[in-house]
Amino acid sequence: MIEKGYSSDNKENWIKAYDPNNQNKEEAFKIVIQEKMVWNLIEKDKEYFAMYSKKGDNPSVLENIQY
């Protein structure tokens, strides 16, 4: 994970991440985190194993994350 943030109305928390095995930092993409507690625990510049879902043109949504 290389970046984390939230929307101006604080309703959407997100991270930007990439697959270090197949991508580089320039290919990072946004993953929405629905649980604020989970978002609070994620640290910048750490590697995680994550599963996410993507529907259409909507941002990816985090389903599971492990350190």
Side-chain angles (χ1 to χ4, degrees), residues 46-60:
K46 289 223 175 180
E47 286 190 21
Y48 296 90
F49 176 77
M51 293 188 323
Y52 56 90
S53 61
K54 176 137 176 80
K55 293 182 182 176
D57 291 335
N58 296 318
S60 299

Side-chain angles (χ1 to χ4, degrees), residues 1 4 15 33 38-44 48 62 65:
M1 194 272 298
K4 82 189 249 189
I15 59 173
I33 313 295
V38 172
W39 181 85
N40 284 332
L41 294 173
I42 298 172
E43 297 180 41
K44 186 178 174 187
Y48 296 90
L62 184 70
I65 190 165

Side-chain angles (χ1 to χ4, degrees), residues 2 12-14 16-17 34 38 41 45-46 57:
I2 61 169
E12 181 179 271
N13 305 295
W14 53 266
K16 284 198 175 178
Q34 294 178 330
V38 172
L41 294 173
D45 296 326
K46 289 223 175 180
D57 291 335

